Amino acid sequence: MAVGYASGKAILFGEHAVVYGQPAIAVPVTQVQARAEVKDVGRGQGITIVARDLGRTYKLSEAPPDDALRTIVVSTLERVRVGQEKDLAITVSSTIPVARGLGSGAAVSTAIVRALLEHFDKWLDSRAISDLVFETEKIHHGNPSGIDNTVIAFEKPVYFVKEGPMEIFWVQRSFLLVIADTGVQSSTKVAVEDVRRAWEKEPIRYEGLFEDIGTIAEMGRQAIEQGDMETMGRLMTENQRLLRLLKVSSPELEGLIGAAQQGGALGAKLSGAGRGGNMIALVTQETCGQVSMMLRLAGAKDVIVTEVG
Ligand code: MEV
């Protein structure tokens, strides 16, 4: 039996604007993981997908062409030239909450690619894995920038520009993020489409906002590279102000962001598509416990702490 894993992700700076060519910064979140298991089954059974968390078991041959799990299995088998005429059971499970901005779709696909590579004793580099997963991101998200598949496949902090060179960057001083879940599911596809419609109506205003967010992502990278946590926190809060203007925040997110600030976070913002999902707060060793407690008191459904760097 072969097993593949993939971590979740958080976007530190630049979500939404990244779809319009601005830079963004994302980091892996190893506390949550997707897992895929591949094993041989009896001859003639074909490929079965068992999506454990969704309580679904189905034959690959019966899945519609736009099924994301079918797509990643077929494209991976094609890419490594082993053909689809296999008898396999592929079981998928994940501790990454679905539709909460932590990259669950991209992580599940990445885990499947890794498990298939292991099973057939093949190797692909992170770029090739990321490219395969990007195709399933299009099914999930319509018009993805590619940041989720990139950070999850490379498993490193990335500075990302759509269709530009991806850079893994240096974290001068490791830092702590508290990630809190509003418990509200939100569709990335819908949020991205809403921003697009608003941009079409008011292109000049929205392009100004995207550029401002891009500038914050650039400055954020510098702050991370210099280990300047105060500046990084301020930039996160400023990024949140701009995300609010893009209308992708929500009362639940604002409630948690306010609670993190009261608890002494250096900065806080939504992470991912917004409208629900998770928020992140930059904290120190000293404020981590207090901020986590404030978030729980404010109604966070889950709170995790991750160290970056
Ligand atoms: C989703 O994790 C981030 C968005 O910027 C969409 C994308 O980049 O594809 C909202």
Side-chain angles (χ1 to χ4, degrees):
M1 186 182 72
V3 181
Y5 292 92
S7 302
K9 68 100 211 318
I11 298 187
L12 295 188
F13 297 106
E15 49 274 269
H16 287 290
V18 67
V19 174
Y20 298 82
Q22 296 296 331
I25 292 177
V27 296
V29 176
T30 52
Q31 282 73 8
V32 283
Q33 299 254 329
R35 178 182 192 276
E37 198 179 285
V38 176
K39 62 179 180 212
D40 288 319
V41 292
R43 264 204 162 185
Q45 291 192 29
I47 300 177
T48 303
I49 297 177
V50 184
R52 208 171 257 162
D53 307 319
L54 306 176
R56 278 183 70 207
T57 298
Y58 56 101
K59 293 266 181 227
L60 188 88
S61 57
E62 289 161 12
D66 65 349
D67 181 273
L69 301 188
R70 175 189 188 276
T71 302
I72 196 66
V73 172
V74 170
S75 58
T76 305
L77 295 178
E78 265 172 18
R79 180 71 173 71
V80 296
R81 297 196 184 85
V82 297
Q84 283 175 52
E85 307 310 308
K86 298 285 171 200
D87 301 304
L88 302 171
I90 303 174
T91 305
V92 181
S93 57
S94 174
T95 59
I96 309 173
V98 176
R100 314 280 173 79
L102 294 183
S104 82
V108 164
S109 293
T110 305
I112 290 177
V113 179
R114 290 182 176 150
L116 285 169
L117 292 176
E118 162 106 14
H119 186 80
F120 291 107
D121 203 15
K122 301 280 181 187
W123 186 83
L124 289 174
D125 64 15
S126 304
R127 171 83 282 149
I129 295 175
S130 174
D131 289 347
L132 283 170
V133 175
F134 184 58
E135 295 308 309
T136 63
E137 286 289 280
K138 288 186 192 159
I139 297 174
H140 288 300
H141 297 165
N143 179 28
S145 63
I147 191 168
D148 287 16
N149 46 287
T150 303
V151 64
I152 289 169
F154 282 84
E155 302 180 282
K156 292 273 186 304
V158 299
Y159 170 90
F160 179 89
V161 180
K162 188 180 176 180
E163 284 153 26
M166 183 281 303
E167 292 172 44
I168 290 170
F169 68 93
W170 173 244
V171 176
Q172 166 70 18
R173 212 172 97 195
S174 64
F175 57 87
L176 288 176
L177 289 178
V178 179
I179 305 177
D181 193 345
T182 60
V184 178
Q185 287 206 341
S186 125
S187 157
T188 300
K189 192 171 187 168
V190 171
V192 169
E193 277 169 10
D194 286 353
V195 171
R196 176 163 300 272
R197 267 194 292 274
W199 165 66
E200 280 163 2
K201 272 198 202 134
E202 290 183 274
I204 295 174
R205 174 160 177 265
Y206 271 74
E207 271 152 36
L209 292 173
F210 296 149
E211 274 169 30
D212 290 350
I213 292 175
T215 305
I216 287 176
E218 292 285 357
M219 292 166 72
R221 177 181 175 161
Q222 275 174 26
I224 295 169
E225 284 177 337
Q226 290 162 2
D228 180 352
M229 295 299 109
E230 275 73 23
T231 301
M232 190 182 154
R234 263 201 308 280
L235 290 167
M236 283 168 66
T237 301
E238 176 60 11
N239 194 162
Q240 173 62 21
R241 188 183 70 77
L242 296 164
L243 286 162
R244 223 173 269 143
L245 294 175
L246 291 183
K247 301 196 183 70
V248 292
S249 194
S250 73
E252 294 84 358
L253 283 164
E254 292 300 328
L256 295 186
I257 289 164
Q261 281 162 341
Q262 270 180 19
L266 293 168
K269 63 183 274 294
L270 67 84
S271 182
R275 297 268 170 86
N278 278 270
M279 55 73 70
I280 56 175
L282 181 66
V283 296
T284 59
Q285 292 285 358
E286 292 70 37
T287 57
C288 184
Q290 167 88 359
V291 170
S292 303
M293 190 185 73
M294 293 296 279
L295 286 165
R296 285 190 195 282
L297 288 174
K301 297 293 171 289
D302 198 16
V303 176
I304 53 182
V305 178
T306 191
E307 185 172 4
V308 179

